[in-house]
Amino acid sequence: MTRFFLAIAFFLAVLSSRAGNGASTPPPQRAEDNVEDLARQSSFAFAGTVRKLHASNVPVVPATESTVIVRVDEIVQNAGVVTDVLGQDITVELQAAGSVKEGEQAVFFTNVATYGESISVREIGHIPRRPEALEAIRTQINAAGSRLADEQLQKRIAQADLIVTGSVAAVSPGPESGQRPPGSEHDPEWWVATVKVQSAVKGQAPHGDLVILFPHSQDLRWFASPKFKEGQTGVFLLHRTEDEKLRARGYTALDRLDFQPMEQGDRIRKLIQASR
């Protein structure tokens, strides 16, 4: 009796195995299909050749099983944080130890970790380098960058209370700029821009000149904020702000995207229409 049940169990197991083998399973995703995701997550992508495994040429980055030295053969994507590395050896901290071999050529998607005489970068991912596919990869990266830029701008547009085109007639220190002690942490050092409005792109512009508060400080928190100058013309993405801690009351431009060149007006209008 026991042998009978064992035979039945074995027969059912075989059937189950065959059914599983015959079932359709999704194919593994190719690395090339991830180019857009990799590009979105990285600021520096390059085609390179692996020169040495388990090594580092940056003193502050110890050599481990995950570090490799890679020669930068061609820069494919650069957000502006890396210069003078073409043809140079840099240290790459791999996501997975052993994922590349010495002499292997690949396109590495990375973010800068340290910058000095040489640099180290942290890998987001890499894909095999094939000369015939490199231009296609570059095209995908550029397309991904454009879509990401549109998404970021569209988000800022949605957050804006008022969007106008105009020109900066005057700039001056804000009325409360001298009321905070020098060296206050992350003090924006408010200045005022007086803008002559040409047209309203979103919202209802007030009559007469428009007053905008903007951070004049070069502090890290405000470094990328627009720094307006007399005579500038463009598109202003403004946000009504009431912040007692920052002593801000009125329309502000705080983000790097809050001021756009005038030629971006049509693009902004299209993004507004697309979000409706």
Side-chain angles (χ1 to χ4, degrees):
M1 197 70 171
T2 301
R3 289 181 179 177
F4 174 79
F5 283 113
L6 286 174
I8 292 295
F10 177 79
F11 178 73
L12 292 174
V14 170
L15 285 180
S16 176
S17 175
R18 288 179 177 176
N21 290 337
S24 60
T25 57
Q29 191 176 31
R30 297 179 304 164
E32 289 83 349
D33 295 332
N34 288 326
V35 168
E36 181 166 343
D37 288 340
L38 293 171
R40 283 172 173 268
Q41 298 175 61
S42 60
S43 58
F44 180 54
F46 66 95
T49 303
V50 180
R51 306 266 282 174
K52 193 173 182 180
L53 304 178
H54 311 156
S56 169
N57 64 351
V58 178
V60 296
V61 179
T64 69
E65 291 185 353
S66 298
T67 59
V68 295
I69 294 177
V70 181
R71 184 184 63 224
V72 179
D73 298 323
E74 185 173 347
I75 295 173
V76 183
Q77 173 193 19
N78 187 2
V81 294
V82 177
T83 58
D84 302 327
V85 295
L86 187 61
Q88 302 297 313
D89 289 345
I90 67 173
T91 298
V92 178
E93 299 179 58
L94 299 172
Q95 264 205 334
S99 57
V100 296
K101 298 177 181 179
E102 192 169 312
E104 183 175 346
Q105 294 186 322
V107 178
F108 295 87
F109 294 82
T110 71
N111 289 310
V112 176
T114 61
Y115 206 124
E117 291 185 6
S118 184
I119 69 169
S120 71
V121 295
R122 291 193 180 96
E123 182 198 49
I124 301 299
H126 68 268
I127 60 179
R129 176 186 176 183
R130 294 194 295 272
E132 71 278 7
L134 196 57
E135 192 56 40
I137 291 171
R138 194 189 303 278
T139 300
Q140 287 179 276
I141 288 174
N142 291 337
S146 295
R147 281 191 289 271
L148 180 59
D150 278 351
E151 289 170 11
Q152 291 173 336
L153 182 56
Q154 194 163 39
K155 182 178 179 180
R156 201 62 187 166
I157 288 170
Q159 294 170 342
D161 297 295
L162 176 66
I163 301 178
V164 299
T165 64
S167 60
V168 179
V171 295
S172 62
E176 297 186 359
S177 59
Q179 297 184 20
R180 302 188 71 174
S184 295
E185 187 178 13
H186 305 309
D187 185 354
E189 299 174 15
W190 294 115
W191 276 44
V192 173
T194 302
V195 175
K196 291 190 176 297
V197 176
Q198 294 179 5
S199 64
V201 180
K202 175 184 176 182
Q204 184 68 42
H207 296 292
D209 294 341
L210 183 62
V211 174
I212 301 171
L213 291 172
F214 68 95
H216 192 256
S217 170
Q218 294 296 325
D219 179 84
L220 185 62
R221 179 175 177 181
W222 309 109
F223 182 79
S225 300
K227 305 291 188 283
F228 296 117
K229 296 180 181 179
E230 187 175 330
Q232 275 185 310
T233 61
V235 187
F236 301 80
L237 283 66
L238 305 176
H239 307 262
R240 193 183 299 278
T241 303
E242 298 284 341
D243 193 317
E244 293 299 325
K245 186 176 180 181
L246 292 176
R247 299 193 182 195
R249 192 174 294 105
Y251 285 114
T252 60
L254 306 180
D255 190 89
R256 63 180 180 83
L257 297 176
D258 287 346
F259 178 72
Q260 299 288 325
M262 193 68 82
E263 56 266 26
Q264 292 295 314
D266 287 343
R267 176 190 176 202
I268 290 172
R269 290 182 181 91
K270 289 177 182 178
L271 290 173
I272 291 173
Q273 289 294 328
S275 63
R276 289 176 178 171

